[in-house]
Short mmCIF file of all heavy atoms in Angstrom, two decimals:
data_model
loop_
_atom_site.label_atom_id
_atom_site.label_comp_id
_atom_site.label_asym_id
_atom_site.label_seq_id
_atom_site.Cartn_x
_atom_site.Cartn_y
_atom_site.Cartn_z
N THR X 212 12.23 2.23 -24.08
CA THR X 212 12.23 2.71 -22.71
C THR X 212 11.14 1.93 -22.00
O THR X 212 9.98 1.96 -22.41
CB THR X 212 11.93 4.23 -22.62
OG1 THR X 212 12.91 4.92 -23.39
CG2 THR X 212 11.98 4.72 -21.19
N VAL X 213 11.53 1.19 -20.96
CA VAL X 213 10.60 0.31 -20.27
C VAL X 213 10.69 0.57 -18.77
O VAL X 213 11.77 0.68 -18.22
CB VAL X 213 10.93 -1.17 -20.55
CG1 VAL X 213 9.88 -2.08 -19.94
CG2 VAL X 213 11.07 -1.43 -22.03
N VAL X 214 9.53 0.67 -18.13
CA VAL X 214 9.48 0.87 -16.69
C VAL X 214 8.44 -0.08 -16.12
O VAL X 214 7.35 -0.22 -16.67
CB VAL X 214 9.10 2.32 -16.32
CG1 VAL X 214 8.99 2.51 -14.83
CG2 VAL X 214 10.10 3.31 -16.91
N ILE X 215 8.80 -0.77 -15.02
CA ILE X 215 7.83 -1.62 -14.34
C ILE X 215 7.79 -1.22 -12.87
O ILE X 215 8.76 -0.69 -12.32
CB ILE X 215 8.14 -3.12 -14.49
CG1 ILE X 215 9.50 -3.48 -13.89
CG2 ILE X 215 8.07 -3.54 -15.94
CD1 ILE X 215 9.78 -4.96 -13.86
N TYR X 216 6.65 -1.43 -12.27
CA TYR X 216 6.45 -1.14 -10.86
C TYR X 216 6.32 -2.47 -10.13
O TYR X 216 5.48 -3.30 -10.46
CB TYR X 216 5.17 -0.31 -10.69
CG TYR X 216 4.86 0.05 -9.25
CD1 TYR X 216 5.66 0.92 -8.54
CD2 TYR X 216 3.74 -0.50 -8.63
CE1 TYR X 216 5.36 1.24 -7.22
CE2 TYR X 216 3.44 -0.18 -7.32
CZ TYR X 216 4.25 0.70 -6.63
OH TYR X 216 3.96 1.02 -5.31
N LEU X 217 7.18 -2.68 -9.14
CA LEU X 217 7.17 -3.92 -8.37
C LEU X 217 6.71 -3.64 -6.95
O LEU X 217 7.10 -2.63 -6.35
CB LEU X 217 8.58 -4.51 -8.30
CG LEU X 217 9.26 -4.85 -9.62
CD1 LEU X 217 10.70 -5.29 -9.37
CD2 LEU X 217 8.49 -5.94 -10.35
N GLN X 218 5.87 -4.52 -6.42
CA GLN X 218 5.46 -4.42 -5.02
C GLN X 218 5.02 -5.79 -4.54
O GLN X 218 4.79 -6.70 -5.33
CB GLN X 218 4.36 -3.39 -4.83
CG GLN X 218 3.03 -3.79 -5.43
CD GLN X 218 1.96 -2.74 -5.23
OE1 GLN X 218 1.16 -2.56 -6.10
NE2 GLN X 218 1.93 -2.05 -4.12
N LYS X 219 4.91 -5.93 -3.24
CA LYS X 219 4.44 -7.18 -2.67
C LYS X 219 2.99 -7.42 -3.10
O LYS X 219 2.19 -6.49 -3.16
CB LYS X 219 4.55 -7.16 -1.15
CG LYS X 219 5.98 -7.17 -0.67
CD LYS X 219 6.05 -7.24 0.83
CE LYS X 219 7.51 -7.31 1.25
NZ LYS X 219 7.67 -7.50 2.67
N ALA X 220 2.68 -8.67 -3.39
CA ALA X 220 1.33 -9.01 -3.86
C ALA X 220 0.26 -8.59 -2.86
O ALA X 220 -0.82 -8.15 -3.25
CB ALA X 220 1.24 -10.51 -4.13
N LYS X 221 0.53 -8.69 -1.57
CA LYS X 221 -0.48 -8.34 -0.57
C LYS X 221 -0.84 -6.86 -0.60
O LYS X 221 -1.91 -6.47 -0.15
CB LYS X 221 -0.01 -8.74 0.83
CG LYS X 221 1.17 -7.93 1.35
CD LYS X 221 1.56 -8.38 2.74
CE LYS X 221 2.69 -7.49 3.27
NZ LYS X 221 3.12 -7.87 4.58
N ASN X 222 0.01 -6.02 -1.17
CA ASN X 222 -0.25 -4.58 -1.26
C ASN X 222 -0.79 -4.14 -2.62
O ASN X 222 -1.15 -2.99 -2.80
CB ASN X 222 1.04 -3.80 -0.97
CG ASN X 222 1.59 -4.07 0.40
OD1 ASN X 222 0.86 -4.42 1.33
ND2 ASN X 222 2.89 -3.92 0.55
N ALA X 223 -0.83 -5.05 -3.58
CA ALA X 223 -1.19 -4.69 -4.94
C ALA X 223 -2.70 -4.56 -5.14
O ALA X 223 -3.47 -5.35 -4.61
CB ALA X 223 -0.65 -5.74 -5.90
N LYS X 224 -3.10 -3.55 -5.90
CA LYS X 224 -4.51 -3.40 -6.28
C LYS X 224 -4.86 -4.33 -7.43
O LYS X 224 -5.98 -4.77 -7.57
CB LYS X 224 -4.80 -1.96 -6.66
CG LYS X 224 -4.73 -1.03 -5.47
CD LYS X 224 -5.13 0.37 -5.83
CE LYS X 224 -5.06 1.24 -4.59
NZ LYS X 224 -5.45 2.59 -4.83
N ARG X 225 -3.89 -4.60 -8.31
CA ARG X 225 -4.05 -5.60 -9.37
C ARG X 225 -2.68 -6.19 -9.65
O ARG X 225 -1.66 -5.56 -9.47
CB ARG X 225 -4.69 -5.02 -10.62
CG ARG X 225 -3.93 -3.99 -11.35
CD ARG X 225 -4.69 -3.48 -12.58
NE ARG X 225 -5.78 -2.60 -12.29
CZ ARG X 225 -5.68 -1.29 -12.14
NH1 ARG X 225 -4.52 -0.72 -12.22
NH2 ARG X 225 -6.72 -0.56 -11.90
N ILE X 226 -2.69 -7.44 -10.11
CA ILE X 226 -1.45 -8.16 -10.37
C ILE X 226 -1.44 -8.58 -11.83
O ILE X 226 -2.35 -9.28 -12.30
CB ILE X 226 -1.33 -9.40 -9.45
CG1 ILE X 226 -1.26 -8.96 -7.99
CG2 ILE X 226 -0.10 -10.23 -9.84
CD1 ILE X 226 -1.29 -10.11 -7.00
N TYR X 227 -0.42 -8.15 -12.55
CA TYR X 227 -0.27 -8.52 -13.95
C TYR X 227 0.66 -9.71 -14.12
O TYR X 227 0.56 -10.46 -15.08
CB TYR X 227 0.28 -7.34 -14.76
CG TYR X 227 -0.68 -6.18 -14.81
CD1 TYR X 227 -0.52 -5.07 -13.99
CD2 TYR X 227 -1.78 -6.20 -15.67
CE1 TYR X 227 -1.40 -4.01 -14.03
CE2 TYR X 227 -2.67 -5.15 -15.72
CZ TYR X 227 -2.48 -4.06 -14.89
OH TYR X 227 -3.36 -3.02 -14.93
N ALA X 228 1.61 -9.86 -13.22
CA ALA X 228 2.56 -10.97 -13.27
C ALA X 228 3.13 -11.17 -11.88
O ALA X 228 3.10 -10.26 -11.05
CB ALA X 228 3.68 -10.66 -14.26
N THR X 229 3.65 -12.34 -11.65
CA THR X 229 4.27 -12.65 -10.37
C THR X 229 5.73 -12.98 -10.61
O THR X 229 6.04 -13.88 -11.41
CB THR X 229 3.57 -13.86 -9.71
OG1 THR X 229 2.20 -13.53 -9.53
CG2 THR X 229 4.20 -14.17 -8.36
N LEU X 230 6.60 -12.27 -9.97
CA LEU X 230 8.03 -12.54 -10.04
C LEU X 230 8.33 -13.60 -8.98
O LEU X 230 8.27 -13.32 -7.78
CB LEU X 230 8.84 -11.27 -9.79
CG LEU X 230 10.35 -11.43 -9.78
CD1 LEU X 230 10.85 -11.88 -11.13
CD2 LEU X 230 11.00 -10.11 -9.39
N VAL X 231 8.61 -14.80 -9.42
CA VAL X 231 8.82 -15.91 -8.51
C VAL X 231 10.18 -15.79 -7.84
O VAL X 231 10.31 -15.98 -6.64
CB VAL X 231 8.72 -17.25 -9.27
CG1 VAL X 231 9.03 -18.42 -8.35
CG2 VAL X 231 7.33 -17.40 -9.88
N TYR X 232 11.20 -15.44 -8.59
CA TYR X 232 12.56 -15.39 -8.07
C TYR X 232 13.42 -14.64 -9.06
O TYR X 232 13.17 -14.67 -10.26
CB TYR X 232 13.09 -16.81 -7.88
CG TYR X 232 14.40 -16.90 -7.13
CD1 TYR X 232 14.43 -16.76 -5.75
CD2 TYR X 232 15.59 -17.14 -7.79
CE1 TYR X 232 15.61 -16.86 -5.05
CE2 TYR X 232 16.77 -17.24 -7.10
CZ TYR X 232 16.79 -17.10 -5.73
OH TYR X 232 17.96 -17.18 -5.04
N SER X 233 14.43 -13.96 -8.60
CA SER X 233 15.36 -13.29 -9.50
C SER X 233 16.76 -13.34 -8.92
O SER X 233 16.95 -13.42 -7.71
CB SER X 233 14.94 -11.83 -9.75
OG SER X 233 15.04 -11.10 -8.55
N LYS X 234 17.73 -13.31 -9.82
CA LYS X 234 19.12 -13.38 -9.40
C LYS X 234 19.99 -12.98 -10.58
O LYS X 234 19.64 -13.25 -11.73
CB LYS X 234 19.44 -14.82 -8.97
CG LYS X 234 20.84 -15.02 -8.45
CD LYS X 234 21.03 -16.45 -7.98
CE LYS X 234 22.41 -16.64 -7.41
NZ LYS X 234 22.62 -18.02 -6.97
N THR X 235 21.10 -12.34 -10.33
CA THR X 235 22.05 -12.05 -11.39
C THR X 235 23.26 -12.96 -11.23
O THR X 235 23.53 -13.47 -10.14
CB THR X 235 22.51 -10.58 -11.35
OG1 THR X 235 23.11 -10.32 -10.08
CG2 THR X 235 21.35 -9.65 -11.59
N ASN X 236 23.99 -13.15 -12.32
CA ASN X 236 25.17 -14.02 -12.33
C ASN X 236 24.86 -15.39 -11.75
O ASN X 236 25.55 -15.88 -10.87
CB ASN X 236 26.33 -13.37 -11.56
CG ASN X 236 26.83 -12.14 -12.27
OD1 ASN X 236 26.74 -12.04 -13.48
ND2 ASN X 236 27.34 -11.20 -11.52
N CYS X 237 23.80 -15.99 -12.22
CA CYS X 237 23.35 -17.26 -11.64
C CYS X 237 23.95 -18.46 -12.36
O CYS X 237 24.45 -18.37 -13.45
CB CYS X 237 21.84 -17.32 -11.64
SG CYS X 237 21.13 -17.26 -13.27
N ASP X 238 23.85 -19.57 -11.69
CA ASP X 238 24.31 -20.84 -12.24
C ASP X 238 23.24 -21.89 -11.99
O ASP X 238 22.08 -21.55 -11.76
CB ASP X 238 25.65 -21.24 -11.61
CG ASP X 238 25.60 -21.22 -10.09
OD1 ASP X 238 24.51 -21.41 -9.52
OD2 ASP X 238 26.65 -21.02 -9.47
N GLU X 239 23.62 -23.16 -11.98
CA GLU X 239 22.63 -24.22 -11.85
C GLU X 239 21.89 -24.22 -10.52
O GLU X 239 20.88 -24.90 -10.36
CB GLU X 239 23.24 -25.59 -12.10
CG GLU X 239 24.29 -26.02 -11.09
CD GLU X 239 25.70 -25.47 -11.34
OE1 GLU X 239 25.93 -24.82 -12.37
OE2 GLU X 239 26.56 -25.69 -10.49
N ASP X 240 22.38 -23.49 -9.51
CA ASP X 240 21.69 -23.43 -8.21
C ASP X 240 20.39 -22.64 -8.27
O ASP X 240 19.60 -22.68 -7.34
CB ASP X 240 22.59 -22.80 -7.15
CG ASP X 240 23.82 -23.64 -6.90
OD1 ASP X 240 23.75 -24.86 -7.08
OD2 ASP X 240 24.86 -23.07 -6.52
N PHE X 241 20.17 -21.90 -9.34
CA PHE X 241 19.02 -21.01 -9.47
C PHE X 241 17.71 -21.73 -9.21
O PHE X 241 16.89 -21.28 -8.41
CB PHE X 241 19.02 -20.39 -10.87
CG PHE X 241 17.89 -19.44 -11.12
CD1 PHE X 241 17.95 -18.14 -10.67
CD2 PHE X 241 16.77 -19.85 -11.83
CE1 PHE X 241 16.92 -17.25 -10.90
CE2 PHE X 241 15.73 -18.97 -12.06
CZ PHE X 241 15.81 -17.67 -11.61
N TYR X 242 17.48 -22.86 -9.85
CA TYR X 242 16.22 -23.58 -9.70
C TYR X 242 16.08 -24.15 -8.30
O TYR X 242 14.98 -24.18 -7.74
CB TYR X 242 16.10 -24.68 -10.76
CG TYR X 242 15.91 -24.10 -12.13
CD1 TYR X 242 16.98 -23.99 -13.02
CD2 TYR X 242 14.68 -23.61 -12.54
CE1 TYR X 242 16.81 -23.43 -14.28
CE2 TYR X 242 14.49 -23.05 -13.78
CZ TYR X 242 15.57 -22.96 -14.65
OH TYR X 242 15.39 -22.40 -15.88
N ASP X 243 17.17 -24.61 -7.70
CA ASP X 243 17.12 -25.11 -6.33
C ASP X 243 16.73 -24.00 -5.36
O ASP X 243 15.91 -24.20 -4.46
CB ASP X 243 18.47 -25.70 -5.90
CG ASP X 243 18.81 -26.97 -6.66
OD1 ASP X 243 17.87 -27.64 -7.14
OD2 ASP X 243 20.01 -27.28 -6.77
N GLU X 244 17.31 -22.82 -5.54
CA GLU X 244 17.05 -21.70 -4.64
C GLU X 244 15.62 -21.21 -4.70
O GLU X 244 15.05 -20.79 -3.69
CB GLU X 244 18.01 -20.54 -4.95
CG GLU X 244 19.45 -20.85 -4.60
CD GLU X 244 20.40 -19.75 -5.05
OE1 GLU X 244 19.93 -18.70 -5.53
OE2 GLU X 244 21.62 -19.95 -4.93
N CYS X 245 14.99 -21.23 -5.87
CA CYS X 245 13.63 -20.72 -5.97
C CYS X 245 12.57 -21.81 -5.83
O CYS X 245 11.38 -21.52 -5.79
CB CYS X 245 13.42 -19.94 -7.27
SG CYS X 245 13.51 -20.91 -8.76
N GLY X 246 13.01 -23.05 -5.75
CA GLY X 246 12.06 -24.14 -5.50
C GLY X 246 11.22 -24.53 -6.71
O GLY X 246 10.10 -25.04 -6.55
N ILE X 247 11.73 -24.30 -7.90
CA ILE X 247 11.02 -24.67 -9.12
C ILE X 247 11.95 -25.56 -9.95
O ILE X 247 13.13 -25.26 -10.10
CB ILE X 247 10.62 -23.43 -9.94
CG1 ILE X 247 9.57 -22.64 -9.19
CG2 ILE X 247 10.11 -23.82 -11.32
CD1 ILE X 247 9.16 -21.36 -9.86
N THR X 248 11.43 -26.64 -10.48
CA THR X 248 12.23 -27.49 -11.34
C THR X 248 12.08 -27.05 -12.79
O THR X 248 11.05 -26.46 -13.16
CB THR X 248 11.79 -28.96 -11.23
OG1 THR X 248 10.47 -29.09 -11.74
CG2 THR X 248 11.87 -29.45 -9.79
N PRO X 249 13.06 -27.32 -13.62
CA PRO X 249 12.93 -26.97 -15.04
C PRO X 249 11.71 -27.60 -15.69
O PRO X 249 11.14 -27.04 -16.62
CB PRO X 249 14.23 -27.52 -15.66
CG PRO X 249 15.21 -27.48 -14.54
CD PRO X 249 14.41 -27.82 -13.31
N GLU X 250 11.27 -28.75 -15.17
CA GLU X 250 10.10 -29.42 -15.75
C GLU X 250 8.81 -28.64 -15.50
O GLU X 250 7.82 -28.84 -16.19
CB GLU X 250 9.96 -30.84 -15.16
CG GLU X 250 11.08 -31.78 -15.54
CD GLU X 250 12.35 -31.56 -14.73
OE1 GLU X 250 12.27 -31.22 -13.54
OE2 GLU X 250 13.44 -31.72 -15.31
#
């Protein structure tokens, strides 16, 4: 059983991780959309 709390970084009291981008049913466009290369 896993629960995470997500909020905008500007509102966070502490940051454990940053979610750069998320998407379901994705294809090769994923990296283009989030602006990160596989490298």
Side-chain angles (χ1 to χ4, degrees):
T212 302
V213 185
V214 178
I215 61 173
Y216 180 68
L217 301 174
Q218 69 180 143
K219 291 184 178 185
K221 68 180 183 180
N222 300 334
K224 291 185 179 181
R225 66 180 74 87
I226 297 174
Y227 295 101
T229 301
L230 178 63
V231 177
Y232 190 76
S233 66
K234 183 177 182 181
T235 59
N236 293 331
C237 62
D238 52 27
E239 65 277 354
D240 296 332
F241 180 80
Y242 291 99
D243 292 336
E244 292 174 6
C245 67
I247 293 177
T248 65
E250 294 79 34

